[in-house]
Amino acid sequence: MVAIEVEGLRKTFKKGKVVAVDGVSLTIEKGELFGLLGPNGAGKTTLIKCLSTLLIPDGGRIRIFGHDVLKESLKVRRLIGLVTGGERTLYWKLSVFDNLRYFAALYGLYGRKARRRIEEMIEVMDLVEKRDERVERLSTGMRQKVALARALLHDPELLLLDEPTLGLDPQFSRVIRRFIKEELQKKLKKTILLTTHYMEEADELCDRIGFMSQGKIAACATPEELKEKIPHERLLEIKMAGLPDESLIRNIPGVEDVLMIVDNNRTVLRIQSPDPEGILATVLERLRKECRIIGFGLTTPTLEDVFIFLTGEELR
Amino acid sequence: MIIVYEELRKTVKIWLTYPLVLVFWTIFPIMWVIPFIFQGKAFVGALSSQAFADLTGTGQYIPFVIIGAVVSTYMFSALYGIGNAFREESYWGTLEYLIGSPASKGFILLGKALSEGIFSTFFALSQLLFAIFLFGVKITLTKILPILLIMSFLLLALYGLGIGLAGLTLLIKESRGIIHSLDDILYLFSPIRYPVEVNPITKFVSLFIPLTYALIAIRGILLLNKPFHLLITEMVALLLLDIGFLFFGFYTFNTLERKVRQTGTIGHH
Ligand SMILES: Nc1ncnc2c1ncn2[C@@H]1O[C@H](COP(=O)(O)OP(=O)(O)O)[C@@H](O)[C@H]1O
Ligand SMILES: [Mg+2]
């Protein structure tokens, strides 16, 4: 059964001057965990908002479990649980329980039934101790758990998770990821569409991944299939202190693509080439003049290498 | 309908986390009514005036103005509240979750309107008590019931206007300006500070403003001791305006909600 069917979706802003989603077609099966991976501004949030009826598309068609998003928006809203990243999506002055109680009412859940469901969600999300705490006193990670609990209250078939681990510390990110995979997909059999710009997240969680770049889906396949799109099985990776000039490496004969990851004063270069050993000497020679080399070696491609290979764009 | 209650509960709970603001808002309305009274004293020189009596049938200018002040602050605080409520939701980041829920937006707004109603009632009561104790405005119980009826008719129209305003704040992300301009228009064209009969244009425009009929009816009861059945015309006019305002409000809100889903400006602030 098809859960999400998108055909030729287009959405522009500012009277057509900003094209956020540019002719996207996509099919997601029931039970699938699908990831949209792309840098900031790729159009991921816009696509999610079109799916969740918050935006009316300029063109194209969206069906959620066979229901047209525009014509049957009330039905679609009941089928969807939405989680958007970012700090504020809850009432900070209300307790965890009161927040959930209010949102349950918006979905027609009230009284004893609502109470039972809320307690259940609080239990599942491991929030029992925080039940009566005001949301403003919770950590960012805890708030994200409450947001997930809210999305699950009405037991939706489809979960739309827009950057679910944005701004969380690594430990909380891991908890949330495990919850998405183990609880939501495996146990509850939900269909999940998540967006992210962390390649590890997409790689680790998703059955299939869509690369999104400048409003378009550049590729769509399983993580393994995507990694096979790079013609070479091995990459040359060089770590150094300092910031080298990328073009210096790019114009070495035999270099096909370069991914440069800069973190503080550290730089990692990932170089794609049919003959990584052959170019090694030249590359080191050129870099040595500008930076202090810390280490080098051969690695296998990551999704980020594939992304830059296919779109020419970096993820961050 | 449960949504109306839950909305009310939520709003009141959030207010109660700001106790100082509540205290402030019970004192503030009194300050609001004082200028009206001083204005009356300055212009008329006393509690009553002949010129004024010729226009309105009652010489009691100050009670006239106090009723105007109480009813109008009631109205404005309600309007401001409903209009502003969606701005707050947008500021809190919760607006998209309201809009994207299957719940009827009319019920959510009604819940907001009722919370504002409670708030405004506090407001009006403190003004009224002040007026009663300091200026001896007399109110008897037999007059209270018809007045409550008139007020509830007025509130229906306010609710319509408020919904329209809520739609407008979705679009322009700003409610203070709109509401203040609306204030000014209503002040000019309805008998809050003065009888609209002073000028033919104000008199004409005032015919389309529900506040006019409510004020005429309430003053009729309080100041002229009119029996209720003589106010049927005003009540019917008020009811017709109610229907018009409600229809207009819902239409505006739905149109504008659709519009922001097209332009993508929901949730921006
Ligand atoms: N409401 C809006 N008004 C104008 N431009 C917008 C709006 N929402 C998004 N955009 C623009 O559309 C593009 C895609 O944005 P978005 O969907 O948020 O990307 P992502 O979620 O992948 O970072 C960006 O260029 C962004 O600036
Ligand atoms: Mg985004």
Side-chain angles (χ1 to χ4, degrees):
Chain A
M1 192 185 180
V2 177
I4 302 180
E5 206 183 344
V6 179
E7 273 173 49
L9 183 69
R10 191 178 155 79
K11 179 72 202 169
T12 63
F13 296 111
K14 310 242 161 92
K15 302 201 171 82
K17 270 182 266 162
V18 178
V19 182
V21 175
D22 190 4
V24 164
S25 296
L26 193 64
T27 305
I28 297 172
E29 293 292 324
K30 185 174 184 326
E32 210 177 351
L33 204 175
F34 188 95
L36 273 178
L37 179 67
N40 269 331
K44 306 182 295 295
T45 299
T46 306
L47 179 56
I48 292 263
K49 284 188 179 172
C50 288
L51 291 172
S52 56
T53 76
L54 288 172
L55 281 175
I56 299 176
D58 297 1
R61 208 176 61 170
I62 305 173
R63 286 165 169 281
I64 307 276
F65 291 103
H67 300 292
D68 188 281
V69 165
L70 290 182
K71 295 193 192 98
E72 300 169 272
S73 54
L74 282 190
K75 252 188 197 145
V76 168
R77 285 173 186 182
R78 284 182 207 284
L79 289 168
I80 289 179
L82 177 67
V83 177
T84 51
E87 273 287 272
R88 287 176 166 260
T89 66
L90 295 159
Y91 297 104
W92 281 31
K93 295 282 169 195
L94 294 185
S95 71
V96 170
F97 184 86
D98 281 340
N99 263 285
L100 295 177
R101 173 179 163 146
Y102 174 73
F103 288 107
L106 292 185
Y107 286 83
L109 278 171
Y110 54 91
R112 208 180 308 151
K113 210 171 138 200
R115 187 172 296 267
R116 211 180 311 129
R117 181 73 184 155
I118 293 167
E119 301 294 2
E120 192 186 327
M121 286 301 111
I122 286 180
E123 188 106 11
V124 167
M125 296 310 309
D126 202 12
L127 286 165
V128 178
E129 282 151 49
K130 307 286 175 191
R131 185 186 179 280
D132 299 313
E133 193 92 51
R134 274 193 210 164
V135 167
E136 63 185 348
R137 301 222 182 89
L138 303 183
S139 68
T140 313
M142 287 290 183
R143 281 186 207 127
Q144 194 65 343
K145 283 186 164 188
V146 181
L148 269 166
R150 165 177 62 189
L152 291 170
L153 283 172
H154 57 293
D155 199 19
E157 276 300 316
L158 171 65
L159 286 155
L160 301 176
L161 314 177
D162 191 13
E163 312 248 10
T165 60
L166 188 72
L168 302 191
D169 62 42
Q171 189 198 336
F172 252 114
S173 296
R174 233 175 293 127
V175 172
I176 300 281
R177 282 175 195 169
R178 196 178 315 129
F179 180 79
I180 292 171
K181 187 81 191 170
E182 301 302 323
E183 190 79 17
L184 293 186
Q185 189 191 20
K186 290 196 180 147
K187 201 164 142 210
L188 300 174
K189 310 267 186 259
K190 304 287 183 200
T191 309
I192 301 155
L193 169 60
L194 72 80
T195 77
T196 182
H197 64 275
Y198 302 122
M199 60 143 185
E200 301 90 353
E201 185 161 292
D203 201 358
E204 177 189 328
L205 291 180
C206 301
D207 303 326
R208 277 196 309 146
I209 294 170
F211 279 173
M212 195 154 186
S213 164
Q214 298 181 3
K216 294 194 169 74
I217 304 264
C220 183
T222 66
E224 293 71 31
E225 285 165 355
L226 284 169
K227 285 177 197 163
E228 282 164 13
K229 288 194 193 262
I230 287 202
H232 323 300
E233 278 165 20
R234 300 166 311 154
L235 266 88
L236 181 58
E237 185 181 77
I238 301 168
K239 296 193 178 87
M240 70 212 80
L243 191 68
D245 179 3
E246 200 178 323
S247 63
L248 216 63
I249 306 301
R250 274 196 187 278
N251 56 31
I252 295 175
V255 169
E256 285 179 354
D257 235 320
V258 181
L259 171 62
M260 190 158 96
I261 303 160
V262 184
D263 185 14
N264 283 329
N265 197 29
R266 292 289 165 90
T267 306
V268 177
L269 281 183
R270 296 171 65 85
I271 302 169
Q272 296 175 26
S273 161
D275 179 19
E277 294 96 330
I279 60 166
L280 179 61
T282 328
V283 170
L284 290 180
E285 189 59 38
R286 293 208 181 169
L287 287 174
R288 239 178 50 186
K289 293 188 187 123
E290 293 187 52
C291 313
R292 194 165 58 82
I293 310 276
I294 299 170
F296 55 86
L298 292 174
T299 62
T300 50
T302 64
L303 282 179
E304 191 162 15
D305 298 313
V306 187
F307 196 92
I308 192 171
F309 178 74
L310 290 176
T311 67
E313 228 188 327
E314 291 180 17
L315 274 177
R316 54 204 95 203
Chain B
M1 278 312 278
I2 197 74
I3 292 167
V4 180
Y5 169 72
E6 290 292 337
E7 184 65 49
L8 188 70
R9 189 173 178 277
K10 175 192 88 183
T11 312
V12 171
K13 273 205 160 184
I14 293 176
W15 281 341
L16 291 180
T17 62
Y18 302 101
L20 261 175
V21 176
L22 284 186
V23 174
F24 176 75
W25 279 106
T26 43
I27 297 166
F28 190 65
I30 296 173
M31 319 250 295
W32 206 339
V33 77
I34 290 174
F36 282 90
I37 294 163
F38 286 170
Q39 177 192 339
K41 285 219 157 153
F43 287 168
V44 189
L47 268 176
S48 56
S49 129
Q50 193 49 50
F52 186 75
D54 293 342
L55 273 176
T56 57
T58 170
Q60 305 173 44
Y61 177 71
I62 289 183
F64 175 93
V65 155
I66 288 177
I67 293 168
V70 172
V71 175
S72 66
T73 45
Y74 196 76
M75 165 157 183
F76 293 139
S77 73
L79 268 189
Y80 184 75
I82 308 172
N84 199 45
F86 267 23
R87 257 204 62 64
E88 274 176 340
E89 299 280 354
S90 151
Y91 173 71
W92 293 329
T94 43
L95 182 60
E96 293 192 324
Y97 289 85
L98 298 198
I99 301 277
S101 81
S104 150
K105 308 305 169 282
F107 285 144
I108 295 180
L109 284 162
L110 184 57
K112 289 192 183 298
L114 283 180
S115 345
E116 292 307 329
I118 292 179
F119 199 44
S120 313
T121 304
F122 264 117
F123 219 98
L125 274 181
S126 64
Q127 287 185 331
L128 212 54
L129 286 176
F130 182 74
I132 290 169
F133 284 121
L134 279 166
F135 295 93
V137 176
K138 284 183 213 73
I139 295 179
T140 56
L141 213 56
T142 48
K143 290 178 174 180
I144 289 280
L145 281 179
I147 288 175
L148 284 181
L149 187 70
I150 296 166
M151 290 298 269
S152 58
F153 272 40
L154 177 62
L155 278 176
L156 274 180
L158 281 186
Y159 177 52
L161 204 54
I163 290 174
L165 269 180
L168 215 54
T169 54
L170 279 181
L171 189 68
I172 17 193
K173 319 284 149 218
E174 201 269 347
S175 50
R176 231 170 262 268
I178 313 169
I179 289 166
H180 279 308
S181 341
L182 201 66
D183 274 20
D184 291 342
I185 293 172
L186 291 174
Y187 261 116
L188 184 61
F189 292 115
S190 60
I192 297 171
R193 288 172 190 264
Y194 46 76
V196 282
E197 285 80 359
V198 293
N199 178 302
I201 299 171
T202 52
K203 181 163 193 226
F204 178 73
V205 176
S206 72
L207 291 178
F208 301 98
I209 296 178
L211 195 57
T212 307
Y213 300 100
L215 283 174
I216 291 175
I218 292 173
R219 285 179 181 137
I221 290 171
L222 280 180
L223 302 180
L224 306 175
N225 294 313
K226 274 195 190 170
F228 190 63
H229 62 84
L230 285 183
L231 296 167
I232 289 297
T233 332
E234 278 77 18
M235 294 306 281
V236 170
L238 201 51
L239 201 61
L240 286 178
L241 284 177
D242 279 351
I243 296 170
F245 271 60
L246 280 174
F247 180 79
F248 164 82
F250 272 106
Y251 179 77
T252 310
F253 182 83
N254 285 335
T255 312
L256 296 180
E257 193 232 33
R258 221 186 140 72
K259 179 141 180 73
V260 292
R261 285 200 287 140
Q262 252 150 12
T263 55
T265 37
I266 299 184
H268 286 215
H269 50 260

